[in-house]
Amino acid sequence: MDWAAIGADLREHWVVYLSMPLVAAVIGYVTKRAAIEMMFRPVEFVGVWRLGWQGVIPRNAERMATVAMELMTTNLIAPREVFGRLDPKRVAEELRGPIERAVDEIAREVLAQYQPNLWELLPRQAQDRVLGRIRREAPAVVERLMREVAEDIESLLDVKDMAVRALVRDKAVLNRLIRGTAAPEMRFIARSGIWFGAVIGVVQLGTWALTKNPWVLPVFGGITGWLTDWLALKMIFFPRQPRRFLGLVTWQGMFQRRRMAVARDYGELIAGEILTVANVLEAVLTGPGADRLHRMVEREVRRSIDEQASLAKPLVVAAVGSRRYQEMKAAAARRAIEHVPDTVRHLEGYATGALDIRATIVRQIQGLTPVQYEGLLRPAFRQDEWKLITVGAVIGFLVGELQLVLLLH
C-alpha cells in the first residue's frame, strides 16, 4: 500500500475528505428527522390507491390506542376505586339547583298531560306544596342512584372502549399523546444522528482513501442512515436499568431514565384530553352501558313517584286509572332521562377535583415495572420501526450517490 500516495491525495483533496464526515452527519440528522415526521405525518392518507403514505401512528391508531389503553386500564386506572371518590351527598348538593328546575318542569308537564283538569283546579299554593315535596325528596333519589352507579361502574363505563374510540376518532390527539410524552426522546433521535453520522463518516473517509471504490460513498450513506436510526431507537429504551459500558460510560434508556417527567406529561395529557370528566360523562350516558343507566334512572323515578303518592295512591289510581298511572310514571322517567345529560354537566367542576385522574395516573406509573412502563411508548415504534430504518437507509444511500456524482464531476 502506497502510504505516500494516499497522503498526497489527502493533502490535494482535503476539502473532499473533510466533507465526508460532515455529509454523514447531515445524513444522520436528516434521516432521523424524516423518520420522526413519518411517524406522525400526514394524519390522513395522502396518495392514490395504495401508493402514498400516512403517518405510522395515525395509520395504526386503533392498534396503538388499544395497546396503550390496555396498559392504562390494567395498571393505571381502576374505575371503581376512582369513581368511589365521588361523595353521593356532595353530588346531590352540586346538582340541587338543576335538579329542582328539572323537577318543576317534568312534574308540571306530566301532571298537566295526564291529569290536566285536576292539576289546573289545584290552587297555586297546593301546586307549590306538591312540587316542593318532590324537590325535597329528589336529592335522596340522586344519592341512591349515585351509590348504585359507583358500585356498578364497570358495567356502565368501559374506560378502554371510551379512550380507544376517542383516540381513533381524533388521531391528532394520539399523535400529541405520543409526541408530547416523548418530546426529549424525539430530539435525542435527531441530534444523535449528527454524532453517529460523523463517526461513521470518519470511517468512510479512511475507507475511501484506501480503496477509491465508487461504492464506498453510497454504501456508507446507506449504513449511516440505517445504523444511526437503529442505534437511536435502541438507546431510547435500552438498557432498562443503568449499565456501565467499557468501564467509562453509564447509560440507561432515555425513556426509562425520565420516568418522573414522563409520568407527569402522560398524566396531564390523559386527564386533559382523553379521560376528561366531560368525556367520561358522555361515555356513561351514550356508551355500551347507557341502557343500564337509563333503567336505573327509570326505576328510581318510578319508585320515587310511588313513594310520593303512597298515601294518596288509591285515590290517584282511581282518579286517573291504573293504566294512565303507569303511563304517567313512564313519561316522567323518560323526561328525567332526557334531562340527565344537561343536569350532570354541572358536576364537572367538582368531579374533576374529586376524581383527580392526573394524580392517579402519575402515581400508578411510578409503580410499573420497567417492561410495563416501556409499554407506554414502545408500541409506537415496535411494529413499523423497520420501515423507518429502511427509509433512513434509502435516503442515506441516495445522498451518498449524489455525493459521488459531485465528487467525480
Side-chain angles (χ1 to χ4, degrees):
M1 186 171 293
D2 190 345
W3 293 105
I6 292 174
D9 186 59
L10 284 168
R11 288 190 296 273
E12 182 180 354
H13 300 102
W14 66 271
V15 174
V16 173
Y17 284 101
L18 181 62
S19 72
M20 289 181 182
L22 295 177
V23 171
V26 171
I27 292 173
Y29 179 77
V30 169
T31 54
K32 302 305 148 301
R33 291 305 315 175
I36 291 169
E37 295 307 315
M38 288 175 69
M39 285 181 62
F40 301 101
R41 299 180 182 176
V43 174
E44 301 298 338
F45 180 81
V46 174
V48 179
W49 193 50
R50 295 186 179 181
L51 300 177
W53 185 259
Q54 182 181 11
V56 171
I57 290 171
R59 186 176 69 253
N60 298 288
E62 185 169 0
R63 174 178 60 80
M64 290 187 177
T66 300
V67 172
M69 294 307 108
E70 179 70 34
L71 173 67
M72 186 184 72
T73 53
T74 302
N75 298 287
L76 305 183
I77 294 290
R80 177 173 292 191
E81 187 269 329
V82 171
F83 279 86
R85 299 170 188 167
L86 293 175
D87 179 5
K89 289 185 180 296
R90 178 67 184 277
V91 169
E93 187 59 36
E94 291 287 329
L95 296 180
R96 182 178 295 276
I99 285 175
E100 288 181 352
R101 290 191 293 273
V103 163
D104 279 2
E105 180 181 331
I106 294 169
R108 291 180 187 277
E109 179 183 309
V110 171
L111 288 171
Q113 178 182 355
Y114 285 89
Q115 194 56 267
N117 295 331
L118 179 60
W119 183 249
E120 292 298 330
L121 289 173
L122 283 176
R124 180 60 181 269
Q125 288 182 334
Q127 291 182 356
D128 289 343
R129 280 198 299 271
V130 172
L131 295 175
R133 184 178 177 185
I134 298 173
R135 283 196 296 266
R136 285 192 299 273
E137 295 299 321
V141 176
V142 172
E143 281 189 43
R144 287 200 303 265
L145 189 58
M146 277 303 303
R147 295 184 195 282
E148 187 169 356
V149 166
E151 284 295 316
D152 204 22
I153 191 64
E154 284 92 349
S155 66
L156 296 173
L157 173 65
D158 187 336
V159 175
K160 177 182 171 183
D161 175 76
M162 182 207 77
V164 170
R165 280 193 295 149
L167 291 171
V168 172
R169 182 172 61 245
D170 189 352
K171 299 178 182 67
V173 174
L174 180 60
N175 272 355
R176 286 197 296 274
L177 176 64
I178 295 175
R179 195 162 198 165
T181 301
E185 282 73 24
M186 300 301 173
R187 288 194 295 271
F188 170 78
I189 288 174
R191 292 171 183 172
S192 67
I194 298 174
W195 305 110
F196 292 153
V199 170
I200 294 173
V202 171
V203 178
Q204 178 190 33
L205 182 157
T207 306
W208 173 259
L210 293 173
T211 66
K212 290 296 191 300
N213 189 315
W215 282 103
V216 167
L217 296 181
V219 168
F220 267 85
I223 291 174
T224 300
W226 174 80
L227 186 58
T228 55
D229 276 5
W230 182 83
L231 279 173
L233 288 171
K234 293 303 177 186
M235 289 179 71
I236 287 177
F237 299 104
F238 302 103
R240 295 187 178 111
Q241 301 293 344
R243 284 182 56 188
R244 196 161 183 82
F245 293 90
L246 304 176
L248 300 171
V249 179
T250 300
W251 183 261
Q252 180 184 18
M254 278 192 68
F255 193 64
Q256 295 286 352
R257 194 169 67 242
R258 285 197 325 109
R259 181 181 288 228
M260 286 293 292
V262 168
R264 289 193 299 270
D265 293 342
Y266 198 83
E268 193 73 46
L269 282 160
I270 292 290
E273 300 210 39
I274 301 173
L275 292 186
T276 64
V277 171
N279 285 350
V280 169
L281 291 176
E282 180 185 0
V284 171
L285 296 173
T286 65
D291 288 343
R292 185 175 177 80
L293 177 66
H294 292 171
R295 287 194 295 272
M296 287 183 184
V297 173
E298 181 176 358
R299 188 188 64 242
E300 286 298 326
V301 171
R302 287 173 174 270
R303 183 166 71 174
S304 180
I305 291 174
D306 284 337
E307 288 174 355
Q308 297 302 307
S310 58
L311 295 177
K313 186 174 179 181
L315 297 176
V316 173
V317 173
V320 302
S322 177
R323 184 176 61 82
R324 294 280 287 175
Y325 179 69
Q326 295 302 323
E327 289 176 357
M328 183 176 71
K329 290 197 296 183
R334 285 195 301 271
R335 295 290 288 122
I337 291 169
E338 290 171 6
H339 276 269
V340 167
D342 289 333
T343 303
V344 297
R345 286 192 177 90
H346 292 80
L347 273 179
E348 287 189 26
Y350 161 67
T352 298
L355 298 180
D356 202 7
I357 290 173
R358 177 188 176 278
T360 300
I361 291 175
V362 171
R363 185 171 59 253
Q364 294 298 102
I365 285 177
Q366 298 306 310
L368 295 177
T369 67
V371 175
Q372 289 173 328
Y373 168 72
E374 183 182 302
L376 293 176
L377 185 63
R378 184 67 170 152
F381 295 91
R382 184 180 287 115
Q383 181 164 312
D384 292 295
E385 66 183 29
W386 69 270
K387 295 179 183 178
L388 305 177
I389 293 171
T390 300
V391 169
V394 171
I395 293 174
F397 185 88
L398 293 176
V399 173
E401 282 282 1
L402 178 60
Q403 187 182 17
L404 177 63
V405 170
L406 294 175
L407 180 63
L408 296 178
H409 292 81

